[in-house]
């Protein structure tokens, strides 16, 4: 039987801005067969997502071959639908429209779009939520929308990239079993699933075959078959045996990566390694944006605001996200609303503004981690390259150099971090040192 997708001796490297080459994948062989649930299990940075991107045609391999149903893959792989960790929903569209929009490029008749969307909604248990907006939903419900949006496309392969790692433990458990149940029900067009995860339990609950990846550069170290019958009972001795076996293999894989970051506790009690970044916007842009919003009475339609400030919609959305991330604004549906902190910021003088931002910026997880790093160094300062490396590790999806310049820009304004241009060193601003 021809595999649905196949990678043969695939290598991938990226040329970084510094001009250096980063080897990310080496000698990767993967075949995804019909009827399979395959998992790629490996630590962060082992190239799992890059494998998925190559298999979906979003990124080209540097060397080796990629086949879709036996033919060399050329461009986007039309056999694949994707479920993302970040849900990737349109905040201003309803649940129904978020799902139906996936069908837009296909040029189907309205009745077909409706029939398929309603069927997907039914399969993932979202009946009654059709008219809700993403921000009215819990994380678990949002990911049900993400799953429905993949199912509705009727593609033979579903890719899931760390699909449940942003959810609390119980919700993630429920969704894993449900995803398997939906897949096995035969009610979808999907013949295979490919799961990317760093969670052993998740791989054992869902996958029939597990490939364990190692780092530097990413490669496949082991292949494990998992023939436990579905639905899988996580409390059974057989389940525990496979988990233990994988644990041993993964730990061995992890040794070069032992400097794992500590997980932080979230208010909900669950621990998470999921970290968000500050969108790539400048402090000065943010100030202009908040002032424009205040001038409109503190609330505005995002589309309208983007038109009236003459910005690209995407750039406005970044600003809204950054401001929301810092808790300066709220963005129910398509509206953006200045919060109390945002209002005080606009009305304040430069010192008040710095003070407000000092506090809000300091609350960000990523800022806390960098602060910890700096505090661990004797002189409270570190070469910028060390922090850039850490950023690369924590946020492998982001461009670390760009993140670094955003963080330094904001850190300077907020008087949180300083940067010495001559020494290329980042240091904790005064006042931070004592705390
Ligand atoms: P995983 O999903 O296993 O965490 P990724 O495939 O996301 O790993 O990344 C593997 C490595 O490739 C990481 O070191 C990451 O920083 C790097 N990387 C991924 N995409 C790019 C890119 N577009 N440019 C430069 N480096 C990248
Ligand atoms: Mg990844």
């Amino acid at each position: 039987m021809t595999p649905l997708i196949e990678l043969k001796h695939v290598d991938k490297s990226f040329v970084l801005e510094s001009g250096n080459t980063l080897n990310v994948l080496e000698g990767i062989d993967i075949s995804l067969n019909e009827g399979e649930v395959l998992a790629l299990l490996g630590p962060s940075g082992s190239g799992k997502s890059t494998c998925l991107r190559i298999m979906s045609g979003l990124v080209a391999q540097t060397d080796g071959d990629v086949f879709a149903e036996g033919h060399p893959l050329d461009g986007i792989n039309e056999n694949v639908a994707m479920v993302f960790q970040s849900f990737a929903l349109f905040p201003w569209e309803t649940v129904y429209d978020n799902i139906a929009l996936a069908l837009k490029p296909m040029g189907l008749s309205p009745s077909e779009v409706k029939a398929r969307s309603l069927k997907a909604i039914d399969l993932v248990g979202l009946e009654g939520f059709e008219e809700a907006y993403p921000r009215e939903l819990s994380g678990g419900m949002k990911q049900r929308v993400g799953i429905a949006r993949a199912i509705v496309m009727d593609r033979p392969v579903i890719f899931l990239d760390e699909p449940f790692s942003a959810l609390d433990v119980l919700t993630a458990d429920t969704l894993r079993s449900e995803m398997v149940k939906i897949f096995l029900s035969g009610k979808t067009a999907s013949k295979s699933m490919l799961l990317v995860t760093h969670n052993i339990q998740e791989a054992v609950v869902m996958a029939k075959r597990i490939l364990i990846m190692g780092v530097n550069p990413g490669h496949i170290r082991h292949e494990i078959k998992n023939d436990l019958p579905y639905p899988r009972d996580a409390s059974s001795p057989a389940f525990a045996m496979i988990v233990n076996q994988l644990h041993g293999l993964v730990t061995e894989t992890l040794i070069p990566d032992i400097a794992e970051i500590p997980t932080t506790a979230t208010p909900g009690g669950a621990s998470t390694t999921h970290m968000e970044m500050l969108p790539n916007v400048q402090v000065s842009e943010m100030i202009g944006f908040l002032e424009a919003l205040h001038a409109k009475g503190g609330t505005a339609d995002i589309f309208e605001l983007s038109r009236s400030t003459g910005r690209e919609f995407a750039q406005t959305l970044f600003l809204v996200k950054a401001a929301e991330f810092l808790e300066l604004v709220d963005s129910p549906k398509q509206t953006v609303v200045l919060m109390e902190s945002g209002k005080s910021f606009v009305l304040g003088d430069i010192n008040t503004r710095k003070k407000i931002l000092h506090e809000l910026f300091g609350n960000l997880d990523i800022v806390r981690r960098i602060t910890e790093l700096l505090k661990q160094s004797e002189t409270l300062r570190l070469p910028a390259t060390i922090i850039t490396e850490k950023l690369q590790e924590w946020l492998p999806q982001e461009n670390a150099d760009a993140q670094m310049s955003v963080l330094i820009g904001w850190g300077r304004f907020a008087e949180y971090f300083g940067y010495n241009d001559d020494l290329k060193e980042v240091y904790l601003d005064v006042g931070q040192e004592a705390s």
Side-chain angles (χ1 to χ4, degrees):
M1 195 168 54
T2 318
L4 287 168
I5 309 179
E6 197 171 15
L7 298 186
K8 275 193 175 160
H9 317 307
V10 162
D11 297 344
K12 176 70 192 174
S13 52
F14 290 102
V15 178
L16 303 177
E17 264 172 45
S18 59
N20 295 336
T21 301
L22 178 67
N23 293 322
V24 168
L25 295 173
E26 194 170 83
I28 301 285
D29 291 305
I30 299 176
S31 55
L32 180 67
N33 302 302
E34 207 171 306
E36 263 201 315
V37 184
L38 179 64
L40 298 183
L41 175 68
S44 161
S46 55
K48 305 180 296 294
S49 296
T50 304
C51 282
L52 275 202
R53 288 192 199 114
I54 292 175
M55 293 168 100
S56 54
L58 293 169
V59 163
Q61 72 275 26
T62 310
D63 211 346
D65 297 296
V66 183
F67 298 99
E69 297 184 304
H71 303 289
L73 179 62
D74 183 16
I76 297 294
N77 189 340
E78 302 288 348
N79 279 343
V80 173
M82 187 96 167
V83 178
F84 301 94
Q85 174 190 349
S86 58
F87 320 134
L89 306 181
F90 295 113
W92 55 85
E93 302 285 3
T94 62
V95 164
Y96 178 88
D97 286 332
N98 262 289
I99 296 166
L101 273 172
L103 297 174
K104 204 169 175 184
M106 297 184 197
L108 303 172
S109 70
S111 60
E112 176 128 7
V113 169
K114 187 164 181 197
R116 272 166 70 166
S117 303
L118 291 179
K119 184 180 153 198
I121 284 172
D122 179 51
L123 275 172
V124 301
L126 278 171
E127 310 90 333
F129 290 90
E130 292 86 348
E131 297 310 316
Y133 286 86
R135 58 173 304 115
E136 298 169 330
L137 303 177
S138 65
M141 295 299 272
K142 280 187 193 141
Q143 193 54 305
R144 284 175 196 265
V145 181
I147 293 168
R149 198 181 38 191
I151 288 175
V152 79
M153 297 178 84
D154 276 357
R155 301 252 168 112
V157 179
I158 294 192
F159 280 180
L160 305 118
D161 192 349
E162 312 265 5
F164 311 123
S165 52
L167 304 174
D168 66 83
V169 179
L170 287 179
T171 307
D173 274 349
T174 310
L175 280 184
R176 278 177 201 127
S177 327
E178 279 197 46
M179 187 73 225
V180 170
K181 205 164 117 191
I182 293 168
F183 175 74
L184 296 173
S185 72
K187 289 181 183 163
T188 70
S190 54
K191 297 173 183 161
S192 305
M193 289 201 289
L194 177 54
L195 167 75
V196 157
T197 185
H198 63 257
N199 181 319
I200 295 177
Q201 176 100 359
E202 179 162 292
V204 180
V205 168
M206 297 182 71
K208 297 187 188 182
R209 191 158 64 93
I210 300 165
L211 301 176
I212 300 177
M213 295 187 68
V215 290
N216 296 331
H219 59 286
I220 293 170
R221 295 180 71 105
H222 304 280
E223 173 178 335
I224 301 292
K225 287 223 158 45
N226 177 3
D227 292 323
L228 293 177
Y230 294 110
R232 291 177 174 160
D233 175 5
S235 61
S236 76
F239 190 98
M241 247 174 69
I242 299 187
V243 168
N244 281 339
Q245 182 189 8
L246 285 172
H247 212 280
L249 296 170
V250 168
T251 317
E252 167 195 309
T253 302
L254 267 174
I255 290 172
D257 200 28
I258 206 107
E260 277 265 277
I261 35 167
T263 58
T264 47
T266 51
S271 82
T272 171
T273 52
H274 176 63
M275 183 159 42
E276 277 193 283
M277 57 125 189
L278 190 60
N280 193 346
V281 301
Q282 307 291 320
V283 181
S284 54
E285 275 181 291
M286 176 62 73
I287 293 174
F289 165 78
L290 293 172
E291 285 173 348
L293 183 58
H294 184 253
K296 287 181 184 296
T299 165
D301 177 274
I302 298 183
F303 291 96
E304 218 289 297
L305 195 64
S306 135
R307 260 195 308 273
S308 66
T309 54
R311 275 202 192 87
E312 292 252 303
F313 178 66
Q315 187 61 13
T316 306
L317 204 56
F318 275 141
L319 279 166
V320 173
K321 285 206 159 177
E324 188 164 26
F325 192 40
L326 287 162
E327 306 194 335
L328 290 160
V329 307
D330 197 4
S331 65
K333 300 186 179 160
Q334 325 184 347
T335 342
V336 46
V337 181
L338 206 55
M339 289 167 63
E340 218 37 62
S341 52
K343 204 171 150 194
S344 313
F345 182 89
V346 173
L347 297 175
D349 60 8
I350 182 76
N351 286 326
T352 313
R353 288 179 172 189
K354 278 179 184 276
K355 219 169 121 193
I356 292 173
L357 213 56
H358 183 87
E359 187 171 328
L360 297 177
F361 183 74
N363 281 338
L364 303 183
D365 198 20
I366 189 155
V367 174
R368 288 204 187 138
R369 289 195 197 202
I370 294 174
T371 307
E372 277 311 304
L373 274 183
L374 290 169
K375 283 187 177 166
Q376 278 165 23
S377 93
E378 255 174 62
T379 54
L380 301 175
R381 51 180 61 229
L382 284 172
T385 48
I386 290 192
I387 297 182
T388 311
E389 267 169 36
K390 278 287 167 192
L391 287 173
Q392 186 79 70
E393 189 183 304
W394 295 337
L395 301 162
Q397 263 74 275
E398 309 300 333
N399 178 322
D401 291 328
Q403 269 296 296
M404 185 71 176
S405 68
V406 170
L407 286 166
I408 288 179
W410 285 79
R412 273 181 161 166
F413 183 88
E415 298 184 355
Y416 221 93
F417 306 133
Y419 180 66
N420 182 317
D421 275 314
D422 295 329
L423 299 172
K424 309 266 177 266
E425 277 184 343
V426 180
Y427 55 89
L428 275 185
D429 207 331
V430 277
Q432 284 305 300
E433 301 174 18
S435 66

